[in-house]
Amino acid sequence: MRRAFVVAKKDLMIEWRSRMLLVRVAPFALLVLVLFAVALDSEPLILRAAAGLVWLAMLFSSLLVVQRAFAIETDDAALDGLLIAAGEPAQVFFGKTIAAFVQLVSLAVLLVAGAIVLYGATVSASNIVLLVTTMLTASLGLASVGTLYGAAVANMNSKDSLLPLLAMPVAAPLLIGASRATEAAFGSQTIDAAAGWAWVALLAVFAVVFVSAGAAAFGTLVEAES
Amino acid sequence: MTNAAATPVSGTATSKGTATTATRLIGAAALALTAFVVVSAFWLTPADAVQGESVRIMYVHVPTAWVAYLAFVVTAITSGFSLARRHRTLGFDRVAGASAEVGVLFMAMTLVTGSLWGRLTWGTFWQWDPRLTTTLFLFVTYVGYLAVRNIDTDPQRRARRSAVIALLAVLEIPLVHFSVVLWRSLHQEASVLNPDGDVRLDGLMLFTLFAGVVAFSLIYVWLVLHRQRLAALADARITTGLDAAIAARRAEAASTSGAGA
């Protein structure tokens, strides 16, 4: 597991030095929030849809994060070197998932703050634990799915158009679960906190399934490229 | 140009096409049974007491849905074999791909016929009911799988990569289904009508439906057999096509220089 953290640290250091998350992904995510508000053009409607819009913006932004995570590996066939250095492909998968997870959690914080400021969403003190747990479990699921499918399309000619087509249907349960749990945390009339926790359980199952599947399949996917 | 390269490569007795006696028999049986289903569905069976004439869509809708699910199960199983075995992996891979192609086609027909029936019976083309939503995600998932298969690469690499994607799809579907069921049940919207409808099937209707399922299954088998043979020829053309093309050009050069002298 130590090697996974080394891989994660490497990815995050590259991210920190290039500031890609800060100058490109974060502004894009906020822009999506603004564009949703403009397109829907109704304040009660925006408030009602706030949770879903936050997670849609997360889904779109996560694709950018994942594309970036594999762009740095496919240049100069760096992935081959990384696989040799890490020993096991699963370690590389864990490392890249951890790095994506850290970035996605910070994006989620930004987007939830955006929903509170721009959409007027409110979080009562009793719901903060639910909201934070949702953000963590959903980000982990999204990071593992993104890393898995990012590896699947890395080195393909048309990877930029393929990744959304492959990853988005898979992330559908996550989108549904995270949106509903966040809606509950925002104090919706239709979903209470107990139902919100039921959705968090689904998110946790999703994360466990795709972290395990990724660890098992990553080797086959990246070896097939070389 | 392409024919010249493909013909010497095929290496089988059936250089005229991908048909064999078996596929011709299956094709003929499928055709005859389909003809019966058409006649029976339109003229012999009665209209439903509640749904009227629109019930006849069922004779296409149910068999196409059955074939689509069958095709995806076959894709999953053959992908598993393709990944697990050392030998004949490409054979299993080609069946997986052929089956997924036919499955996507039939799933599209299921969605279209279902929407038309929904418009007539429910008054809307689409209901966000768990089964419909899952089916839609299933369809998009396999469209993505086919997109991965379509990328130009050597067959071995394609086989491993697409097998992993197909097996991940198997993992995804229960999660999608479960989450969509939970999603709908928490919303508690009044459903317009039970998705199954309330169709009373008499003997001939049931028999026609059953004949439709058998006929479409035969069409599926026929299509997959042809499609995977075609894929085998295409793969052979990639792996040995270059050698054949070089040999053909050499022979051409020899013959023209011989004629010139």
Side-chain angles (χ1 to χ4, degrees), chain A residues 149 156 162 169 199 224-225, chain B residues 151 157 161 168 172 183 186:
Chain A
Y149 282 89
M156 284 189 190
L162 251 185
W199 284 111
E225 309 303 332
Chain B
I151 288 173
R157 201 186 285 183
R161 187 156 58 195
L168 286 174
E172 168 211 342
W183 173 53
L186 287 176

Side-chain angles (χ1 to χ4, degrees), chain A residues 142-165:
Chain A
L142 208 50
S144 57
V145 167
T147 307
L148 182 54
Y149 282 89
V153 303
N155 286 344
M156 284 189 190
N157 301 327
S158 48
K159 59 186 163 198
D160 292 347
S161 54
L162 251 185
L163 182 61
L165 180 61

Side-chain angles (χ1 to χ4, degrees), chain B residues 13-14 22 63 71 85 101 106 116 132 138 152 161 172 225-226:
Chain B
T14 58
R85 290 177 49 148
E101 276 183 16
F106 276 80
L116 294 175
L132 269 67
L138 192 66
D152 265 345
R161 187 156 58 195
E172 168 211 342
L225 284 175
H226 275 288

Side-chain angles (χ1 to χ4, degrees), chain A residues 112 122-135 180-189 191-197 200:
Chain A
V112 167
T122 48
V123 189
S124 65
S126 56
N127 282 336
I128 284 181
V129 180
L130 174 62
L131 183 63
V132 170
T133 319
T134 304
M135 283 155 69
R180 295 291 80 77
T182 309
E183 200 177 322
F186 281 169
S188 135
Q189 274 101 34
I191 301 178
D192 58 5
W197 282 108
V200 171

Side-chain angles (χ1 to χ4, degrees), chain A residues 161-181:
Chain A
S161 54
L162 251 185
L163 182 61
L165 180 61
L166 287 178
M168 280 194 170
V170 181
L174 191 142
L175 180 70
I176 298 172
S179 303
R180 295 291 80 77

